[in-house]
């Protein structure tokens, strides 16, 4: 029986969703405790004590607190390595871990900036009373398209970023990737990149 | 310097910020790194042979006796993990899951909360003009203001312990050095703001690590002999 993990965040926050997806794959219970944005709870002194950048989410498991969605995800994948889907290689396998780190870094630098840029311009800006900047949006889209050529080369050689099986790096792509697809429905469906589509 | 290390070849260029990141870590780990120059002007990094090793056509990549790895932070993690017992300890004990998680948190802080604005600022203020382009003042301001705000978060963290992941230095602190040094070239007092005394203390501690003059000059993109800004490398693919 696993402990219940408390995630202080928001259902609709992509970072909260990343942690939820990982927890789901590991067969873990997660309670989402919503941050009260109406009173800017995430900017309160109490919150900043735990998450110094005033962001969501943070995790609390039996008093152990952690933030940064990828760090939280990696913690769950490591601590619960023996249950659910295996999302990391054997931690003592130097080369396998290096490749896992490589592809997790790929997601952070070659995927996320562009998918989150798309989401920010096309979804979040209007949602929060701002305006989409069409030039910025188009730049993110064309930059992402160029980066997907790199992903195409990777997926021509392996099934997932995690290798033969899904790994953390693949799951990290999901929450912002899904939003980017909502904006540009064919972004991952380019006939020139069949392996990305697969 | 270790006599028992394997030959580590780093394919890149001297002045690439991401190559500097690997060099700083290799220096701290007392490892010999052999820099293999990539012909950026000749678009070597866009050729099929290169793309087979680094599918995004970027520098650097590492070749350790045929095992190839790209993404500078992954390369740094690999060499720190492979040689845990020499040079500075830069990783927590793998058996201490909480320490490991706080370390991962710090690693992510550098990549998500420092790098985007630090590298964006450097691109606008330093790289673009050097390459004959024009600074986008609005973008520059966004990055400057954004980085200042993030440093408020760093101040909170560093008021509780000496370095990003605790009282010992780790890879997370070193990862910030190359772009941090360039931010300091653009704005000499950026990390010395009186409202952030702990950021100042941390920045002085990590930037003083690289006492070797050649390394200081390398990180500051200075010609070690002439101590001036090096001529622009127009095809510098620093990602």
């Amino acid at each position: 029986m696993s402990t219940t993990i408390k995630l202080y965040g928001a259902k609709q926050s992509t970072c909260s969703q990343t942690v939820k997806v990982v927890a789901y794959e590991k067969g873990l219970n997660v309670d989402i405790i919503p941050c009260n944005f109406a009173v800017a709870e995430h900017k309160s002194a109490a919150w900043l004590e735990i998450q110094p950048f005033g962001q969501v989410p943070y995790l609390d498991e039996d008093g152990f607190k952690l933030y940064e969605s990828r760090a939280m995800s990696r913690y769950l994948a490591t601590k619960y390595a023996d249950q659910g889907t295996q999302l990391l290689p054997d931690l003592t396998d130097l080369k396998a871990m290096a490749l896992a780190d490589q592809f997790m870094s790929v997601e952070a630098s070659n995927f996320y900036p562009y998918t989150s840029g798309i989401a920010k311009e096309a979804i979040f800006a209007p949602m929060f009373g701002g305006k989409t900047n069409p030039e910025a949006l188009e730049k993110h889209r064309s930059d992402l398209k160029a980066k997907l050529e790199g992903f195409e080369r990777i997926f021509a050689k392996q099934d997932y970023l995690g290798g033969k099986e899904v790994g953390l790096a693949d799951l990290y792509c999901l929450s912002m990737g899904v939003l980017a697809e909502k904006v540009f429905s064919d972004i991952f469906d380019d006939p020139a990149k069949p392996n990305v589509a697969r | 310097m270790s006599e028992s290390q394997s030959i580590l070849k780093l394919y890149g260029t001297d002045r690439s910020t991401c190559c500097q990141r690997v060099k700083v870590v290799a220096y701290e780990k007392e490892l010999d790194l052999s820099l293999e120059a990539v012909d950026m002007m000749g678009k070597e990094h866009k050729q099929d042979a290169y793309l087979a090793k680094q599918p995004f056509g970027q520098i650097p990549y590492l070749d350790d006796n045929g095992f190839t790895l790209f993404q500078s932070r992954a390369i740094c993690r690999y060499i720190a993990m492979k040689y845990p017992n020499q040079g500075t300890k830069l990783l927590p004990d793998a058996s201490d899951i909480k320490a490991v998680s706080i370390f991962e948190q710090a690693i992510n802080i550098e990549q998500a909360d420092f790098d985007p604005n630090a590298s964006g600022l450097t691109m606008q203020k330093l790289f673009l003009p050097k390459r004959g382009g024009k600074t986008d003042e609005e973008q520059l301001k966004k990055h400057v203001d954004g980085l200042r705000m993030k440093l408020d978060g760093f101040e909170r963290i560093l008021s509780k312990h000496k370095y990003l992941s605790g009282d010992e230095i780790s890879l997370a602190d070193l990862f910030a050095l190359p772009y941090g040094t360039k931010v300091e070239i653009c704005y000499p007092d950026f990390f010395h703001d009186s409202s952030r005394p702990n950021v100042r203390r941390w920045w002085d501690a990590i930037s003083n690590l690289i006492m070797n003059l050649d390394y200081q000059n390398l990180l500051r993109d200075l010609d070690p002999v002439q101590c001036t800004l090096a001529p622009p490398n127009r095809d510098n693919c620093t990602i």
Side-chain angles (χ1 to χ4, degrees), chain A residues 53-126:
Chain A
F53 299 96
Q55 294 168 321
V56 300
Y58 73 83
L59 169 155
D60 185 334
E61 191 189 34
D62 290 337
F64 176 60
K65 299 181 179 68
L66 205 57
Y67 55 91
E68 291 295 330
S69 59
R70 295 175 187 85
M72 290 183 273
S73 300
R74 200 164 169 150
Y75 166 72
L76 296 178
T78 307
K79 185 170 178 189
Y80 298 101
D82 295 335
Q83 71 180 65
T85 314
Q86 194 187 358
L87 295 174
L88 279 171
D90 177 354
L91 298 182
T92 60
D93 184 338
L94 178 65
K95 288 182 179 173
M97 277 309 298
L99 292 172
D101 281 324
Q102 174 185 272
F103 289 116
M104 284 191 273
S105 185
V106 158
E107 180 274 328
S109 61
N110 288 340
F111 190 80
Y112 182 83
Y114 312 103
T115 50
S116 66
I118 288 170
K120 190 178 133 216
E121 287 298 334
I123 300 175
F124 297 139

Side-chain angles (χ1 to χ4, degrees), chain A residues 17-54:
Chain A
Q17 289 165 359
T18 298
V19 180
K20 268 176 64 183
V21 162
V22 170
Y24 174 78
E25 286 294 319
K26 299 308 288 175
L28 295 165
N29 295 321
V30 173
D31 268 350
I32 299 216
I33 295 157
C35 171
N36 191 344
F37 292 108
V39 303
E41 185 186 356
H42 54 311
K43 307 293 178 192
S44 67
W47 191 283
L48 291 171
E49 252 308 293
I50 302 167
Q51 214 292 5
F53 299 96

Side-chain angles (χ1 to χ4, degrees), chain B residues 109-136:
Chain B
I109 287 164
E110 185 277 324
Q111 193 161 23
D113 297 310
F114 186 83
D115 188 272
N117 285 312
S119 61
L121 183 164
T122 302
M123 175 63 74
Q124 291 297 334
K125 184 90 173 156
L126 196 61
F127 293 155
L128 271 178
K130 272 171 76 174
R131 296 174 200 175
K134 252 187 70 166
T135 303
D136 179 333

